[in-house]
Amino acid sequence: MPPRTRGGYTSTAPRRRPTGSERRRRVQLREVEPVPDRDPVEHPQHDRDETDEVLEGAPGGPIDRCILRSFHKHVAAKIWLGEDRAPLKLVNHGAKLQLWVLDAERSRISETVQRSGLAPLISCSHRVASRPMLSAFCERWQPETTTFHLPFGEMTITLDDVASILHIPITGSMISFSQPLRVDDANALLVELLGTTDVEASREMEQCRSPSVRLLWLRENFSTITDVSSADDIEFATRAFLLHLVGCTLFADKSATSVGVVYLELFRGLSMVGRYAWGAACLAFLYRQLTTATRFEVRQLGGYLTLLQAWIYEHFPEMFSSPDLSYIESRPRALRWRPHVIPDSLQSVRERLDRLQSSDVCWEPYVDHRVEHPFPDIAWFSGCIKCGLVVEPYHPERVLRQFGYIQTILPRPFAPPRPERSILLDQYWERWTYHVLTDQSRGRRCQYSGSGESVAEYMAWYDRISHRILQPPHLRSGFTTDARSSLPSHIASTSDSRNARALTLLRRVISGGRQQSGDFFWCALNEAHSILVGSDETSASHSTPSPAPASHSTPSPATRPFFSPPTFVYPPPASVDPPPASYDPPPLIVPPPPASVAPPAPAADPSAPAPDSTTCTAVYVRSKRKKKT
């Protein structure tokens, strides 16, 4: 009987072992087996439609493009090579909000707007936006990380910033749409929710050439409705006002004149408007507008620019801000500043940002605001935020210093899922308490509040993956051949390190206000003194200030409490002879003496030689002749 093989068939041929080529073919077949798709919510980094190939570095950085993979299309790459872009045209509708005022005759509309949670947008919107300042920060925005890449590290606008600056809801249902709105559906929404005719709605969208309506059209048709109008007209006018409000603020697009009808669906039930996370939607929309403006060919910037401008004022108060001294902490922080157009050019702002250091930043600007507006825990959410079909990643772990924690080295950021699969993010957002950064992920707190500390290896890693300096030295104003390198190290010298650490301590004292105790003032000043004199080289960071220098005379510990301000004994001033008791200051104009009284002779100088009689006689004769004439 012929032998049976392992496959179950019989063969008369002798059995032979497989060759190496056959084994290689089997391995290749096993390698091309399909891998099942994964959940984009639990593993969003697998939605990145890119290879893991190593990309070449860009001139001026990044050296390693594992994170900034699309940097070759960024405006910063063009600026480094010598190409320039003019300041962006800004879409700001702050002045248009004053054209539709809710006065006493429209109290019913005003009450509904107050319950919606969007009323603070009416008063806190800036009427003026600075083109050089916002354009320079836009050039620092990186889409992969959704952060600003500055010389000392990354910063971004967080949900805490939105809640503090605008006082609008950041919790609630996510604003999402299943698909883009068609023109026919937009026409039906205008007829149903605004009470317009089908002809009027069609004519308006034809003029906009999209499913949108003009802001001017909303004001002309609904701003005249008052409390004496019918209930339906008041309801239509309320929806029109809310659509006009979000079109001028949260969702200001680059059309600069219109707002999408798709947002009208959010105001179908006026009593349910406050249940949406308007702050998260505003932040996602602004992220996308900044991402679009990083392309060199783009010349316009949309989004709610009041949020971006107030965020810059809060974190860089010494560079750009002009505070309003009448501000009180119960109001939105956007009202703390007086918006103004800085006189600097775009080139000047670029160079100021290139010279920026960590000590120039106010890392925790809302310390005084916490009494009226506590820190929201949802700001620790790590995932994706949405605004309709716009999905953007939100990375609080990349800006731990803005929360008072020490910044650590970060893994590769995840990419948002595709729009058709983003509906799963709604459930992810509703259970946000399960997706916040844990205490272990946050790490350690900074030694001093607002010091902006990072781990020792952070700057070396950041040098490799980022574009820290926007322009090479030869393109800056005032360039000389002995200028520094285009990629300076984080700390140029030991003295720079001491100055930066001392300034961090003094900045904390200044930002804390007068409510702090005298013990705190003395501890901070004593610590800054020890840093500047170099007595802390062996221990660069310590929580307890060093004792007062021995050369100063201080009371004993038994006579004063611990860490109380010491009493310094200064040397007495140099001895000065007091003026006589009858001394009076001379008048400004001294009248000449009478003719009969000779002027007093000047005091004789004992060291001078005695004058001869001939000189004295000549002087006397000359003075006598003058009197006769």
Side-chain angles (χ1 to χ4, degrees):
M1 182 177 180
R4 185 178 295 274
T5 62
R6 188 173 297 181
Y9 62 91
T10 58
S11 175
T12 57
R15 181 181 177 185
R16 63 182 181 84
R17 299 178 63 182
T19 61
S21 60
E22 292 177 349
R23 285 196 296 268
R24 284 193 295 270
R25 283 196 296 270
R26 292 177 186 176
V27 172
Q28 293 175 0
L29 290 176
R30 286 196 296 268
E31 288 178 351
V32 298
E33 291 180 359
V35 179
D37 197 4
R38 300 187 179 184
D39 187 2
V41 174
E42 297 298 330
H43 304 281
Q45 66 273 16
H46 293 282
D47 288 335
R48 186 184 298 273
D49 191 16
E50 295 177 353
T51 60
D52 293 333
E53 59 180 341
V54 178
L55 302 177
E56 295 182 359
I63 303 174
D64 185 357
R65 285 175 55 192
C66 63
I67 293 181
L68 306 184
R69 304 181 68 87
S70 63
F71 183 75
H72 62 284
K73 302 177 182 179
H74 201 279
V75 61
K78 304 291 185 180
I79 294 175
W80 183 271
L81 297 177
E83 302 182 40
D84 198 5
R85 184 176 74 173
L88 297 172
K89 180 182 177 181
L90 305 180
V91 180
N92 185 34
H93 301 298
K96 295 180 181 179
L97 291 175
Q98 310 302 322
L99 302 178
W100 193 347
V101 181
L102 298 180
D103 50 13
E105 297 180 355
R106 298 165 179 81
S107 59
R108 297 175 62 180
I109 301 177
S110 178
E111 292 174 359
T112 306
V113 174
Q114 291 290 337
R115 291 193 300 268
S116 68
L118 299 175
L121 300 176
I122 303 175
S123 59
C124 68
S125 296
H126 293 172
R127 302 183 63 179
V128 179
S130 178
R131 292 180 63 190
M133 181 180 68
L134 299 185
S135 300
F137 272 88
C138 182
E139 295 168 352
R140 295 279 182 171
W141 181 262
Q142 295 296 339
E144 288 84 356
T145 59
T146 58
T147 56
F148 298 101
H149 282 227
L150 298 167
F152 50 82
E154 300 179 34
M155 295 185 68
T156 194
I157 308 172
T158 65
L159 290 173
D160 179 36
D161 293 315
V162 178
S164 301
I165 293 174
L166 303 180
H167 281 196
I168 60 176
I170 59 174
T171 58
S173 300
M174 190 77 76
I175 295 177
S176 61
F177 310 116
S178 58
Q179 57 185 359
L181 187 67
R182 297 181 301 178
V183 176
D184 296 341
D185 297 334
N187 197 336
L189 275 179
L190 290 175
V191 174
E192 178 186 1
L193 300 181
L194 292 185
T196 63
T197 63
D198 186 75
V199 176
E200 291 176 349
S202 300
R203 186 185 303 114
E204 179 62 24
M205 285 186 292
E206 287 178 1
Q207 185 169 354
C208 294
R209 300 181 181 179
S210 64
S212 306
V213 293
R214 291 174 297 146
L215 300 172
L216 177 62
W217 181 82
L218 292 173
R219 292 195 300 268
E220 290 177 347
N221 290 273
F222 299 96
S223 62
T224 58
I225 297 178
T226 61
D227 293 343
V228 298
S229 304
S230 63
D232 291 341
D233 290 342
I234 293 177
E235 187 174 353
F236 295 152
T238 304
R239 293 194 184 101
F241 180 85
L242 291 174
L243 182 62
H244 181 272
L245 180 61
V246 299
C248 290
T249 55
L250 305 183
F251 310 131
D253 55 24
K254 292 191 291 185
S255 67
T257 57
S258 61
V259 57
V261 182
V262 66
Y263 302 112
L264 189 59
E265 181 67 35
L266 304 174
F267 309 123
R268 178 180 293 274
L270 292 176
S271 60
M272 305 296 291
V273 176
R275 70 183 180 91
Y276 291 107
W278 294 101
C282 170
L283 190 59
F285 191 86
L286 181 59
Y287 279 4
R288 179 59 58 88
Q289 294 296 318
L290 288 169
T291 297
T292 305
T294 57
R295 298 303 179 231
F296 183 77
E297 62 275 5
V298 177
R299 296 294 185 267
Q300 202 170 7
L301 176 63
Y304 195 22
L305 301 184
T306 296
L307 174 60
L308 176 59
Q309 185 164 256
W311 179 85
I312 297 174
Y313 289 160
E314 291 285 351
H315 290 83
F316 307 92
E318 296 183 2
M319 294 182 62
F320 306 105
S321 63
S322 177
D324 186 357
L325 300 180
S326 62
Y327 169 79
I328 56 177
E329 292 295 341
S330 60
R331 308 175 69 187
R333 294 283 285 203
L335 299 174
R336 185 189 178 195
W337 311 103
R338 295 178 178 175
H340 63 286
V341 178
I342 60 175
D344 299 346
S345 63
L346 176 57
Q347 177 64 21
S348 176
V349 179
R350 287 172 180 169
E351 295 179 7
R352 292 173 68 182
L353 293 182
D354 281 345
R355 296 189 299 266
L356 203 62
Q357 297 183 2
S358 175
S359 57
D360 299 324
V361 181
C362 183
W363 291 101
E364 299 179 64
Y366 312 119
V367 176
D368 297 335
H369 198 61
R370 297 302 183 201
V371 178
E372 299 288 342
H373 201 83
F375 177 81
D377 293 334
I378 198 173
W380 287 115
F381 169 78
S382 180
C384 292
I385 52 179
K386 290 180 58 178
C387 177
L389 297 178
V390 175
V391 182
E392 291 292 334
Y394 177 73
H395 298 293
E397 63 274 9
R398 305 194 72 87
V399 290
L400 292 176
R401 289 181 286 188
Q402 293 182 224
F403 298 97
Y405 287 79
I406 300 176
Q407 185 61 57
T408 57
I409 297 178
L410 302 167
R412 180 177 173 180
F414 57 82
R418 301 180 182 91
E420 59 270 15
R421 303 173 62 185
S422 63
I423 193 65
L424 299 176
L425 296 176
D426 296 345
Q427 302 175 0
Y428 195 70
W429 172 262
E430 291 175 358
R431 298 177 295 173
W432 64 266
T433 54
Y434 298 97
H435 306 288
V436 296
L437 293 183
T438 62
D439 294 339
Q440 183 179 1
S441 300
R442 301 174 193 178
R444 297 181 294 112
R445 274 195 167 275
C446 294
Q447 181 179 353
Y448 297 102
S449 177
S451 58
E453 301 176 30
S454 59
V455 296
E457 304 84 5
Y458 175 76
M459 288 308 302
W461 169 81
Y462 184 66
D463 272 334
R464 292 186 56 82
I465 61 95
S466 179
H467 187 79
R468 295 174 52 200
I469 307 301
L470 193 67
Q471 289 182 312
H474 68 275
L475 294 180
R476 303 173 192 166
S477 57
F479 169 74
T480 57
T481 55
D482 57 346
R484 290 188 175 184
S485 173
S486 59
L487 291 176
S489 60
H490 177 52
I491 299 175
S493 62
T494 306
S495 60
D496 294 340
S497 174
R498 294 177 184 172
N499 294 338
R501 289 162 53 197
L503 286 174
T504 300
L505 294 173
L506 297 179
R507 188 178 301 278
R508 185 191 176 199
V509 175
I510 296 173
S511 62
R514 299 183 178 180
Q515 293 80 11
Q516 303 175 89
S517 62
D519 295 345
F520 172 78
F521 283 125
W522 181 82
C523 293
L525 293 177
N526 191 21
E527 177 73 9
H529 175 268
S530 62
I531 291 175
L532 292 176
V533 300
S535 61
D536 64 333
E537 289 297 326
T538 56
S539 57
S541 61
H542 47 279
S543 58
T544 305
S546 59
S551 59
H552 294 162
S553 176
T554 58
S556 62
T559 60
R560 67 176 180 89
F562 183 61
F563 282 148
S564 62
T567 303
F568 294 97
V569 178
Y570 296 96
S575 59
V576 179
D577 296 335
S582 60
Y583 173 79
D584 293 326
L588 296 178
I589 301 176
V590 180
S596 59
V597 179
D605 188 0
S607 60
D612 54 356
S613 58
T614 306
T615 305
C616 295
T617 304
V619 172
Y620 175 77
V621 172
R622 191 180 301 112
S623 62
K624 193 172 182 179
R625 290 177 181 175
K626 289 183 179 180
K627 290 181 181 180
K628 290 181 179 181
T629 58

